[in-house]
Amino acid sequence: MKKSLTKGEGGLRPARGDALVERSDRRSFLTRSAAVTAGLVAGAATAPVVRAAETAATGLPAWSKAPGAPLRAYGMPSKFEEPVKRVVTSGYPTVSPGTGSSLTPLQLLEGTITPNGLHFERHHSGVPDIDPTQHRLVIHGLVKRALSFSPATLSRYPMVSRTHFVECSGNSSRNTGPEPLQVTCGTIHGLLSCSEWTGVPLSLLLDEAGVDPAATWLLAEGADSAAMSRSVPLDKARDDAMIALFQNGERIRPEQGYPMRLLLPGWEGNMNVKWLRQLKLVAEPMHTKDETSKYTDLMPNGKAQQFTFPLGVKSTITRPSFGMTMQGPGLYEISGVAWSGSGRVARVEVSTDSGATWSDARLQGPVLSKSVTRFRLPWEWNGAAATLQSRATDEKGNVQPTRQTWTAAYSAAHRYHNNAIQTWSVKADGSIANVYL
Amino acid sequence: MSISRIALSTAFAAVMLAACATERIEPPISKGPGLGQPATAAEIALLDIGIAPSGAGLPPGSGDARAGAKVYAAKCQSCHGDKGAGKPADALVGGTGTLASSNAVRTVGSYWPYATTLFDYTRRAMPLTAPRSLSNDEVYAVTAYVLHLNGIISEDHTLNAQTLPAVKMPNRDGFVDYSKVR
């Protein structure tokens, strides 16, 4: 995917136009263009001067003729992949630059796992720099024994590894405005990432504390300076919740909750409380700021749905998508991601004609519950205008709604839980636009 | 080996392959090493700042809108604007009666179901650059000021652990519980 984006290798090519990343993208494009141009120029200059007297190695690139860089203790991507990064937005750049979000560049990635450095971020007061030796998770409230766990203590517990997506319920809110924004797939849908999480089943710790029968909810709270807090039903905590310590094999990064976060598979990202410091067992939900004034779903009649935890079945085509340019008629692969907060993805259909006809895409296994599934479909583009959509169905029979259906269910001011079908319009000139259907 | 035995073992292999392909199989973990340390009262007290709609958890102290206006001007106004008008942070007033319109405006006054949430959030997270820096009296006072700006309580209405949870918010009945909808 990344290679196919570079000029001269055919396939799709990124174009400018994402206003939010324009500055960084422009610089990186210049860098990359310079590198590509230099390569072409060098090739043109050396080719005609090959002589019999020169060694057989003449014409090989420099990296094939001398030892490469030294070993290093922690690896980084190629410098040529510098444009592959998150789009960063902050609502309070001067007062608190860490308060805001950054979005995974879905259109530049492949497979299902998000690299740790590209996992989306949403912080309510920046990223705390937590010393794990001073951090504790306290479980208290309606329990027989209030307990305190250090990260080192939890590391001695039996663990499980599970591959799950985390999605902010504000994801895709950029597609709720009156006009479609011409920005990349990641800028619209990139508050979605997927990792293999490893940690301790929360049910083990709840059993150790001894939950009082009167408890039906728990208040989860982070150690960041926003002390972000959400109420979680006890049945979810006992079902598949995890105190996650590792992400894709390494310790969870500070941006994702180091040294520990609550993982509630398939549920609103905001509830997967990072930097987790307390779980208080309570008899009723606490109605915190983030579960009343935010993350509630206003309907057209003025009433709001509260505690709408599971994320809806959803998909988007990541390639081709806005910012890329079709390089003439021929065979392309339509590739994208699908997921559901209610279980496995059962089916993804793709339409290239505004939804008039649909074809089943191939689901790339393993198809895991509450995880991202990659779908693919070969597409012979004839060079004419086309309208691309994907529609996911999960194992519970939930079907991803059209934009019209989704919009009709909520107030015009509503921004959360947008799982409507994404539409990309491919024009005859090869350009691609975000459109509403 | 007879044909039927080959067929049987082939079928068995196919079943095993299918089982492996569907999901990781692992026994559930039911027992931990029991290493949790008793949490001390001081440890819990430092963290236990959540306020329930019943008022459970509210600390001693009190304040009214007159006192709150001073707190607001000094600590809140630079982000939330004059009299809660907003910008750059959320507006705190207005929007009453707009929720069913095409231009719904959600503020403390028009949307928040419980006054306890305003106290809880202000105490735990505000001001953004210095959370937990306000005294309990200051939090009660600035809570009273914001509620007064919204016309919910009078300027001299004193808020404390008893009177705050008794405040009836205009949109108290505006929410539908979906926690049992899966």
Side-chain angles (χ1 to χ4, degrees):
Chain A
M1 175 67 195
K2 291 167 187 170
K3 279 191 173 176
S4 75
L5 290 173
T6 56
K7 193 175 183 180
E9 294 188 45
L12 299 161
R13 190 164 52 81
R16 274 179 46 201
D18 186 338
L20 287 165
V21 295
E22 191 170 334
R23 185 183 297 174
S24 61
D25 267 10
R26 183 180 293 162
R27 186 175 63 243
S28 57
F29 273 118
L30 289 173
T31 309
R32 188 162 54 181
S33 302
V36 171
T37 307
L40 292 172
V41 169
T46 51
V49 295
V50 174
R51 295 187 181 88
E54 294 183 6
T55 71
T58 304
L60 279 177
W63 53 80
S64 300
K65 296 189 287 188
L71 304 158
R72 52 188 174 182
Y74 198 99
M76 295 294 288
S78 162
K79 68 186 179 201
F80 299 104
E81 296 301 312
E82 192 267 349
V84 182
K85 55 190 177 187
R86 297 178 286 216
V87 171
V88 176
T89 61
S90 175
Y92 313 95
T94 52
V95 177
S96 175
T99 300
S101 61
S102 69
L103 299 105
T104 297
L106 297 173
Q107 74 283 359
L108 300 178
L109 302 178
E110 255 297 342
T112 58
I113 297 295
T114 310
N116 287 349
L118 296 175
H119 194 291
F120 86 84
E121 301 169 89
R122 173 73 180 98
H123 314 308
H124 294 76
S125 190
V127 181
D129 184 18
I130 296 178
D131 175 352
T133 65
Q134 294 180 44
H135 183 85
R136 296 291 182 273
L137 168 62
V138 175
I139 299 179
H140 67 109
L142 294 171
V143 293
K144 291 191 182 69
R145 296 167 290 276
L147 295 175
S148 172
F149 299 89
S150 70
T153 297
L154 286 181
S155 297
R156 276 197 50 195
Y157 275 64
M159 297 191 201
V160 293
S161 295
R162 297 274 188 268
T163 301
H164 290 302
F165 72 84
V166 176
E167 183 185 19
C168 177
S169 67
N171 194 26
S172 314
S173 62
R174 284 195 172 85
N175 262 359
T176 62
E179 298 296 329
L181 299 175
Q182 298 312 314
V183 294
T184 65
C185 181
T187 305
I188 300 168
H189 304 295
L191 295 177
L192 165 85
S193 305
C194 187
S195 307
E196 183 202 62
W197 303 95
T198 299
V200 181
L202 178 53
S203 58
L204 271 190
L205 306 181
L206 294 176
D207 287 346
E208 188 174 335
V211 176
D212 185 304
T216 51
W217 292 72
L218 47 82
L219 179 72
E221 180 185 287
D224 57 328
S225 69
M228 231 289 300
S229 61
R230 286 293 300 264
S231 303
V232 179
L234 182 58
D235 57 1
K236 177 67 172 179
R238 284 202 176 283
D239 178 17
D240 59 357
M242 174 198 295
I243 306 301
L245 304 172
F246 295 85
Q247 177 187 7
N248 294 330
E250 64 180 2
R251 286 278 174 185
I252 287 178
R253 294 200 171 179
E255 301 96 308
Q256 295 308 320
Y258 183 86
M260 62 181 74
R261 83 177 301 170
L262 180 61
L263 193 76
L264 300 176
W267 283 23
E268 295 180 332
N270 180 254
M271 304 178 74
N272 293 253
V273 176
K274 298 182 286 191
W275 317 294
L276 187 69
R277 74 174 176 195
Q278 71 165 312
L279 295 170
K280 181 180 184 182
L281 280 293
V282 291
E284 299 285 344
M286 298 290 275
H287 295 276
T288 71
K289 183 268 285 181
D290 280 296
E291 63 206 26
T292 52
S293 73
K294 311 290 183 186
Y295 305 108
T296 47
D297 310 331
L298 191 61
M299 295 184 283
N301 66 1
K303 300 287 185 185
Q305 302 173 8
Q306 190 182 18
F307 305 128
T308 51
F309 302 134
L311 291 152
V313 62
K314 187 168 173 180
S315 69
T316 180
I317 293 169
T318 56
R319 176 168 56 98
S321 64
F322 173 83
M324 302 171 188
T325 305
M326 307 292 285
Q327 300 296 293
L331 181 65
Y332 290 80
E333 181 181 69
I334 294 173
S335 175
V337 287
W339 64 100
S340 169
S342 298
R344 290 172 190 77
V345 171
R347 182 184 198 189
V348 178
E349 300 157 282
V350 169
S351 174
T352 59
D353 55 8
S354 306
T357 60
W358 296 86
S359 303
D360 275 297
R362 180 167 59 86
L363 303 186
Q364 179 178 283
V367 178
L368 300 172
S369 181
K370 303 169 188 175
S371 180
V372 164
T373 295
R374 174 67 57 173
F375 64 88
R376 304 178 189 283
L377 185 72
W379 177 43
E380 189 73 38
W381 185 49
N382 62 9
T387 306
L388 308 185
Q389 298 177 306
S390 63
R391 178 173 68 191
T393 303
D394 69 20
E395 63 180 338
K396 303 282 170 59
N398 301 305
V399 182
Q400 186 176 7
T402 64
R403 187 170 190 281
Q404 284 184 335
T405 301
W406 186 86
T407 304
Y410 297 106
S411 161
H414 176 61
R415 299 285 178 268
Y416 302 116
H417 286 276
N418 178 10
N419 66 329
I421 289 172
Q422 165 70 45
T423 307
W424 303 115
S425 168
V426 177
K427 296 175 182 144
D429 67 3
S431 65
I432 301 167
N434 176 28
V435 297
Y436 287 167
L437 267 193
Chain B
M1 189 183 278
S2 71
I3 299 290
S4 62
R5 285 185 69 181
I6 291 172
L8 265 179
S9 47
T10 306
F12 179 72
V15 167
M16 291 306 289
L17 274 174
C20 293
T22 50
E23 191 82 353
R24 286 168 286 190
I25 297 166
E26 49 187 306
I29 299 172
S30 57
K31 192 169 187 306
L35 298 174
Q37 295 298 302
T40 66
E43 195 175 10
I44 293 169
L46 196 60
L47 306 175
D48 193 12
I49 56 170
I51 310 298
S54 67
L58 279 169
S62 65
D64 63 18
R66 285 182 217 280
K70 298 188 184 72
V71 178
Y72 185 87
K75 307 284 179 69
C76 316
Q77 190 165 318
S78 61
C79 286
H80 287 286
D82 184 37
K83 295 191 164 104
K87 300 241 190 258
D90 287 4
L92 304 174
V93 300
T96 302
T98 67
L99 296 182
S101 76
S102 59
N103 189 26
V105 176
R106 286 159 291 185
T107 72
V108 172
S110 70
Y111 197 60
W112 292 37
Y114 298 105
T116 47
T117 305
L118 179 58
F119 183 98
D120 174 289
Y121 182 64
T122 305
R123 183 169 68 152
R124 75 171 53 241
M126 293 287 116
L128 184 62
T129 51
R132 304 290 289 270
S133 64
L134 300 179
S135 70
N136 290 332
D137 284 347
E138 287 176 314
V139 179
Y140 277 115
V142 81
T143 298
Y145 178 67
V146 172
L147 294 176
H148 172 62
L149 286 177
N150 281 289
I152 297 169
I153 61 172
S154 64
E155 193 172 25
D156 58 359
H157 188 93
T158 298
L159 292 183
N160 56 37
Q162 284 71 49
T163 58
L164 175 62
V167 173
K168 174 86 188 287
M169 299 295 278
N171 195 41
R172 168 65 189 86
D173 300 321
F175 293 82
V176 184
D177 183 351
Y178 269 62
S179 63
K180 298 292 184 276
V181 179
R182 296 280 191 275

